[in-house]
Amino acid sequence: MIDDESSDSRTATGKLPSDRRLDGRRMGERTTSGVRAAIRDELATEPADAETNDQPVIQLDHVSLAFDEPVLEDVSFEARKGETLCIVGESGTGKSTALKLILRLLVPEKGSVCIGGKEITGLSFEEALEIRQQMGMVFQGAALFDSMSVFENVAYPLREHTTMNEDEIEQRVREKLQFVDLEPDKVMEQLPAELSGGMRKRVGIARGMANNAEIMLYDEPTSGLDPLTTGTITRLLLKLQRELGVTSVVVSHDIRSVFRMATRIAVLYEHHIVFFGTPEEMAGSDDEYIRTFLGGS
Amino acid sequence: MPAAAPAVPSRTPSHWERFVAASKSRVRNVQDYFALAGRGLGFIFVRPFYGQDWVQQMDEIGVKSLGIVLLTGFFTGMVLALQSSVQLQTFGATMYIGRLVSASMIRELGPVLAGLMVAGRVGSGIAAQLGSMRVTEQIDALNTLGTDPIKKLVTPRVLAALVMLPVLTIINDFIGILGGNLISSAMVGVPTSLYWRTVWDQIANDGFTLRVIPIDFVQGITKPFVFGGIISITACYFGLNTTGGTEGVGQSTTRTVVVSSILILIIDYFLTQILLSVLGP
Ligand SMILES: Nc1ncnc2c1ncn2[C@@H]1O[C@H](COP(=O)(O)OP(=O)(O)OP(=O)(O)O)[C@@H](O)[C@H]1O
Ligand SMILES: [Mg+2]
């Protein structure tokens, strides 16, 4: 079900006109029509600036997994370096499960999962911990440690795995919090329970990015956020992708932001991947389910 | 579990099949329990040490349980003295009341009651905390950030319980004996000095040297140590294996208290038997 040729069509062109769309848009410009125009813009230009090499960074190959009932059946997709792969699909189709397979929080019953060309299904627990350090994950419900302050949450991956000193850690935490539009001085000492849902989500993103992982996984980073913040976060993901060449997998319900940032899209439906290709291909698809999916969002 | 669509039309499993499946999952659960115990204990000696978590758990398990342990210990000692006095009076042997109270407290009631109280207070707390961490994906997040949740969460709790339960039990014993003292001097008419002398006779009859560690003392320390392990591991096991949202957290909490209380009472019997046969009465 993988459409292999499709992936290259998008990287042929591809230089970004300027950075204006990343940072240039400030509060005043964030009117609805402005955003809409920007999205049209963005769709017209090529979002990816990826130097795609052939080796997929993330690859799921004919993966099947069942809990009490089958969740994923014969699922294959891949993401190359610098790509942003978006996974869309109805609720409960196994999108979060797919991310957990990539993190090896779950092991498939059949098929293989490769990260950086290395098969991870057979790894020991300790080896899996190593592999996970290359990845940053933003959980659907933020999953902040509620016994720790915001600062300690974002600093956690740094304390665990780097030799950074206190000053460097604080600097990094501030930088990441600013990145997600939070005021470090205001929120750093607060506990997750004292934050709003959207703020928690953004702290979750900051923590996921804290150790500058090369692979970022986002589980519905924008669900439950207002359109402005959604826009900010979408821009932020684009920025990571373009400036740092981060490979991302984004699970999202927000089809607009998917079209803005995806280099390829995978659609999950009834345990299977029913579509895997570029946004253009998706927009031009005749498949009835894809059409209703696009129309219904 | 086959992932492909079943070729044979599905039918409801027979009673026997269901029984077999249930037994298998029971056995697997027990295996998991011991695996968790092994890893949780094994990591005590493996870096990185989460010392801060350990200290915090010592506070949580030990210091914060002090109140209920003092209260239960005191009243248990008083009621023990009251009940024994009735029995002893019929033989005219009320002067031995100190022996009776201290033996009962140190050998049985101190460890068991402290264990049950801690199972209710701390075990349920641990299960609820780890359970909600599980259902809000915080355990997954720990894994993702490269931390072994067993090392970070289970080991500090087990270690803290292993240390703190004997401490709590000793305090419990002492307060219980003190409560007995109060009753026997106020209501039975046994003077305090005589009371404490008989207590001492009971605890350290043959002296207290490294060669002769009194049986009461051995029992009184071994039991809470084992109970501490049972409570913390049971709570961590049910907490970490929570499924089904907040409702699941409630179930894990209940199960923890029920299972660890039952285990305490059962293992108390066998432990007593073993200790008596090894060390003599
Ligand atoms: N730990 C688990 N045990 C049993 N079943 C599970 C478990 N995790 C997920 N499932 C089941 O797997 C299916 C897919 O779950 P998943 O969380 O991946 O869905 P999703 O696509 O992320 O949905 P949503 O968009 O609502 O987040 C669901 O039917 C769910 O009930
Ligand atoms: Mg999900």
Side-chain angles (χ1 to χ4, degrees):
Chain A
M1 233 162 275
I2 292 185
D3 189 352
D4 249 329
E5 283 154 298
S6 64
S7 57
D8 296 327
S9 65
R10 148 159 308 264
T11 51
T13 41
K15 274 276 171 262
L16 204 64
S18 75
D19 260 347
R20 96 200 128 80
R21 227 168 285 105
L22 301 177
D23 316 285
R25 201 185 299 131
R26 287 277 154 254
M27 282 307 286
E29 289 175 72
R30 284 176 175 177
T31 57
T32 324
S33 62
V35 171
R36 220 181 282 137
I39 290 170
R40 235 183 292 120
D41 256 16
E42 213 121 22
L43 270 176
T45 54
E46 294 290 338
D49 187 22
E51 305 133 38
T52 316
N53 53 24
D54 285 343
Q55 179 80 320
V57 176
I58 300 167
Q59 185 173 34
L60 268 71
D61 195 24
H62 300 291
V63 165
S64 297
L65 178 77
F67 290 112
D68 301 327
E69 298 166 359
V71 177
L72 298 175
E73 280 178 21
D74 197 23
V75 165
S76 305
F77 60 75
E78 57 168 38
R80 297 179 188 176
K81 174 135 184 58
E83 252 197 310
T84 300
L85 170 71
C86 287
I87 305 177
V88 297
E90 290 165 46
S91 181
T93 45
K95 304 184 296 296
S96 302
T97 306
L99 291 187
K100 286 179 184 170
L101 282 168
I102 296 172
L103 285 163
R104 204 188 168 280
L105 294 172
L106 295 169
V107 181
E109 273 146 31
K110 278 191 230 148
S112 74
V113 181
C114 294
I115 303 297
K118 194 176 167 201
E119 165 81 51
I120 62 163
T121 41
L123 295 187
S124 74
F125 190 81
E126 276 73 24
E127 289 167 327
L129 288 180
E130 297 267 310
I131 287 280
R132 289 184 197 125
Q133 287 170 38
Q134 310 166 15
M135 300 190 241
M137 167 80 176
V138 176
F139 285 89
Q140 193 163 2
L144 300 179
F145 303 127
D146 40 30
S147 57
M148 298 180 197
S149 69
V150 167
F151 177 82
E152 287 303 326
N153 263 287
V154 181
Y156 191 89
L158 306 173
R159 289 203 199 290
E160 250 344 59
H161 301 297
T162 65
T163 51
M164 292 167 86
N165 64 33
E166 266 323 287
D167 287 344
E168 290 168 325
I169 288 179
E170 176 163 356
Q171 202 182 339
R172 178 75 71 82
V173 171
R174 283 177 179 279
E175 174 197 328
K176 294 301 174 192
L177 287 174
Q178 273 158 359
F179 212 71
V180 292
D181 267 6
L182 288 168
E183 285 177 48
D185 290 315
K186 256 191 189 165
V187 296
M188 254 176 11
E189 295 313 317
Q190 287 185 301
L191 288 172
E194 298 165 346
L195 303 176
S196 77
M199 286 162 90
R200 273 202 287 276
K201 196 128 215 177
R202 284 183 279 162
V203 175
I205 295 174
R207 183 182 68 184
M209 302 188 311
N211 60 357
N212 295 334
E214 297 193 347
I215 301 173
M216 285 295 301
L217 311 174
Y218 306 88
D219 199 348
E220 305 191 14
T222 58
S223 70
L225 296 180
D226 62 280
L228 293 187
T229 318
T230 302
T232 313
I233 287 176
T234 310
R235 273 199 301 285
L236 198 144
L237 303 197
L238 278 168
K239 190 164 146 184
L240 281 180
Q241 173 197 349
R242 287 170 180 165
E243 292 179 1
L244 303 172
V246 170
T247 311
S248 321
V249 180
V250 185
V251 168
S252 182
H253 285 308
D254 182 4
I255 206 76
R256 286 202 318 178
S257 26
V258 166
F259 269 82
R260 280 176 72 186
M261 60 194 169
T263 53
R264 281 192 282 180
I265 300 174
V267 182
L268 262 178
Y269 176 63
E270 292 197 336
H271 323 313
H272 294 282
I273 298 269
V274 292
F275 173 85
F276 183 67
T278 63
E280 284 80 11
E281 287 169 340
M282 187 165 171
S285 169
D286 295 330
D287 187 282
E288 196 174 333
Y289 179 71
I290 303 286
R291 292 249 56 95
T292 44
F293 194 86
L294 289 177
S297 58
Chain B
M1 192 160 293
V8 188
S10 63
R11 61 192 175 83
T12 44
S14 69
H15 288 298
W16 174 247
E17 280 168 335
R18 247 183 285 169
F19 174 75
V20 170
S23 316
K24 272 185 187 163
S25 87
R26 277 286 149 75
V27 171
R28 207 162 39 233
N29 289 348
V30 173
Q31 279 175 348
D32 287 349
Y33 183 93
F34 282 107
L36 179 71
R39 296 192 56 194
L41 291 167
F43 282 138
I44 291 177
F45 307 105
V46 179
R47 281 172 187 284
F49 303 118
Y50 292 97
Q52 212 185 333
D53 294 278
W54 179 53
V55 172
Q56 197 190 338
Q57 288 308 317
M58 298 268 277
D59 179 48
E60 200 65 44
I61 294 173
V63 180
K64 293 192 178 154
S65 301
L66 209 53
I68 53 166
V69 165
L70 288 178
L71 205 64
T72 49
F74 192 62
F75 278 91
T76 311
M78 291 205 296
V79 81
L80 261 180
L82 209 54
Q83 292 281 22
S84 336
S85 72
V86 178
Q87 294 297 316
L88 290 172
Q89 252 154 13
T90 56
F91 304 112
T94 43
M95 62 170 291
Y96 292 117
I97 195 165
R99 284 192 91 117
L100 217 69
V101 170
S102 58
S104 317
M105 263 331 273
I106 294 171
R107 286 185 185 179
E108 282 304 330
L109 290 171
V112 171
L113 286 179
L116 293 178
M117 295 318 285
V118 171
R121 204 197 81 86
V122 176
S124 60
I126 292 176
Q129 196 194 1
L130 299 196
S132 45
M133 286 184 79
R134 164 61 79 196
V135 300
T136 56
E137 296 182 312
Q138 289 177 55
I139 304 284
D140 285 339
L142 274 179
N143 261 320
T144 305
L145 297 173
T147 303
D148 187 338
I150 295 181
K151 200 182 281 185
K152 166 97 179 156
L153 299 172
V154 177
T155 300
R157 283 168 174 76
V158 173
L159 195 56
L162 289 179
V163 174
M164 277 323 224
L165 226 73
V167 174
L168 286 173
T169 300
I170 290 173
I171 294 171
N172 195 16
D173 294 345
F174 177 73
I175 287 293
I177 295 170
L178 201 66
N181 179 16
L182 194 76
I183 293 298
S184 44
S185 64
M187 298 174 70
V188 188
V190 177
T192 300
S193 59
L194 178 62
Y195 179 85
W196 283 103
R197 195 153 63 237
T198 54
V199 167
W200 183 249
D201 281 349
Q202 174 62 33
I203 301 174
N205 212 356
D206 305 320
F208 202 133
T209 61
L210 271 185
R211 195 100 62 77
V212 194
I213 297 174
I215 172 78
D216 281 4
F217 186 78
V218 177
Q219 281 202 33
I221 292 297
T222 314
K223 285 181 178 177
F225 188 73
V226 174
F227 296 163
I230 291 173
I231 295 166
S232 53
I233 292 165
T234 307
C236 290
Y237 174 77
F238 284 115
L240 288 179
N241 288 300
T242 300
T243 52
T246 42
E247 203 176 317
V249 176
Q251 279 175 7
S252 301
T253 315
T254 314
R255 278 191 197 143
T256 298
V257 177
V258 171
V259 171
S260 50
S261 303
I262 291 173
L263 283 178
I264 284 173
L265 294 173
I266 294 176
I267 288 175
D268 179 50
Y269 170 78
F270 288 105
L271 207 56
T272 309
Q273 183 125 64
I274 291 169
L275 286 172
L276 284 178
S277 65
V278 171
L279 301 164

